[in-house]
Amino acid sequence: MSSAVAVYIIGTPVACEEGVKDTWRDVANWATGQLEARFGEAVQVEYFDLFAPDCPTLPYDVQLPLVLANGEIVSSGDKISIPCIRKHLEAIGISPKN
């Protein structure tokens, strides 16, 4: 494979009674470890805060958290699901590492 599939997870901190929580970033960091363990260098996972200057342009009418793989929507507004992301990656031809 010539280049890694870019998996972007986009979220935002959430304000609650206890303060601001960055739960989606925490889940994205966990997801990164899971996906890299399964697919190795075939995937490159990055988390973006919605309000960060380097956040990719969002497709029209999506909800957070948003998961993209090479610009294609994997999930929008649902939980960050490793099985969902894994199935999508395998459907586009990414094989688990040996």
Side-chain angles (χ1 to χ4, degrees), residues 21-77:
K21 295 188 176 190
D22 212 355
T23 305
W24 285 335
R25 181 183 308 273
D26 295 340
V27 173
N29 287 335
W30 176 79
T32 297
Q34 295 293 308
L35 293 170
E36 289 177 350
R38 182 168 183 93
F39 296 103
E41 294 180 5
V43 297
Q44 180 181 2
V45 184
E46 288 187 67
Y47 176 82
F48 293 92
D49 186 300
L50 176 65
F51 301 109
D54 63 341
C55 182
T57 302
L58 273 60
Y60 177 74
D61 205 23
V62 295
Q63 296 179 4
L64 299 179
L66 176 65
V67 179
L68 303 169
N70 278 354
E72 185 177 334
I73 297 172
V74 176
S75 67
S76 169

